[in-house]
Amino acid sequence: MRTANGGEPAGDSPPASTVDRGSPMGSERSEMRKRQTSTVQEPLGSGLGQPGAGSRGSNACCFCWCCCCSCSCLTVRNQRPTATAHEVRTDFPICEESATPTLEEVSAWAQSFDNLMITPAGRNAFREFLRTEFSEENMLFWLACEELKKEANKSMIEEKARIIYEDYISILSPKEVSLDSRVREIINRNMGEPSPHIFDDAQLQIYTLMHRDSYPRFMNSAVYKDLLQSLAEKSAEA
């Protein structure tokens, strides 16, 4: 039944008290909805400013190239061990095999540097002295060049030349020997196809350096004087 103005009769609508009876109050229901909405939105909103948050999950950057500093997979990647930039190789033992030098041989070392360097015992004694001056690399380089000259196999020549270069010529090596720019340029030019004599100029330069710089100090060192004295005493006892 409609009224004159087309509306429903007032008696057909239930009383307001009936709507709220037996159920939460309207204001309380509204408050509960607000709390539920804020509870759902709070964690979502808190992750909007963090890379990798949201629908991708906390470890989503494990499958992409993101740069999030908080990602655990990035931490693992940064903890991978790195290879050493350069590793020095020494192909020679602490000393060469040699017989005990005689008094005459040791006395001859004082006559010339060539007499010292021509015998294994002389090189061992001189090398021991160079070690105290932290310049043993000069002798090691000279010995490596001597070994290279004996090599005939092409692949071995290339390999040994590369090792010598990395150990004693490269500026990255802690055992780099002192060479002038002219000699370095020659070596760099010939490293493409090295020969057994690629380091001849450098070897001569280091030989001259040891002769002029280290050899005079060696002759006045305790290493040489003690060896000479011990051999002289043994000779006198015999």
Side-chain angles (χ1 to χ4, degrees):
M1 178 178 178
R2 295 180 180 272
T3 60
N5 58 2
E8 294 291 336
D12 293 343
S13 57
S17 60
T18 307
V19 175
D20 296 334
R21 188 176 301 169
S23 61
M25 298 296 292
S27 59
E28 293 180 359
R29 180 181 300 175
S30 176
E31 183 65 25
M32 290 177 63
R33 288 179 180 175
K34 288 182 181 180
R35 291 180 182 178
Q36 292 175 354
T37 303
S38 61
T39 304
V40 173
Q41 291 179 350
E42 184 174 0
L44 294 178
S46 62
L48 293 177
Q50 298 179 358
S55 61
R56 291 180 299 173
S58 59
N59 62 344
C61 58
C62 293
F63 305 99
C64 66
W65 292 103
C66 69
C67 300
C68 54
C69 59
S70 62
C71 174
S72 59
C73 66
L74 181 62
T75 305
V76 173
R77 285 199 296 268
N78 290 337
Q79 290 176 352
R80 289 177 182 174
T82 55
T84 306
H86 182 76
E87 181 180 355
V88 177
R89 292 171 295 275
T90 302
D91 296 329
F92 300 98
I94 196 66
C95 63
E96 300 177 70
E97 293 184 5
S98 66
T100 303
T102 64
L103 178 60
E104 291 75 16
E105 289 176 339
V106 175
S107 299
W109 297 349
Q111 298 174 7
S112 71
F113 185 59
D114 292 340
N115 288 344
L116 172 69
M117 292 290 288
I118 203 172
T119 63
R123 292 193 295 269
N124 286 337
F126 187 48
R127 184 176 166 186
E128 180 182 352
F129 168 74
L130 293 177
R131 199 175 296 123
T132 64
E133 293 199 332
F134 305 99
S135 58
E136 185 185 12
E137 66 273 7
N138 291 330
M139 177 64 78
L140 293 175
F141 172 68
W142 188 88
L143 291 172
C145 292
E146 289 294 297
E147 289 295 320
L148 179 62
K149 293 176 184 178
K150 302 174 184 178
E151 190 59 61
N153 183 277
K154 183 179 179 180
S155 61
M156 290 301 298
I157 291 173
E158 293 177 352
E159 177 65 14
K160 288 186 177 182
R162 181 186 62 81
I163 292 175
I164 293 174
Y165 185 93
E166 292 179 354
D167 284 357
Y168 306 110
I169 308 299
S170 172
I171 60 175
L172 300 177
S173 172
K175 289 192 174 184
E176 175 195 6
V177 295
S178 179
L179 300 172
D180 60 38
S181 59
R182 179 190 64 85
V183 172
R184 288 184 177 275
E185 184 179 352
I186 294 174
I187 294 174
N188 290 333
R189 190 186 311 132
N190 295 327
M191 276 301 293
E193 295 183 3
S195 71
H197 298 277
I198 184 175
F199 300 112
D200 279 5
D201 290 343
Q203 186 185 23
L204 177 60
Q205 196 167 98
I206 295 303
Y207 188 90
T208 303
L209 176 65
M210 292 190 294
H211 183 192
R212 294 178 178 178
D213 184 59
S214 302
Y215 173 64
R217 293 196 298 273
F218 169 72
M219 299 311 303
N220 293 319
S221 69
V223 174
Y224 177 71
K225 291 181 177 180
D226 291 348
L227 177 60
L228 186 65
Q229 181 179 355
S230 64
L231 292 174
E233 292 174 354
K234 290 180 180 179
S235 179
E237 293 174 359

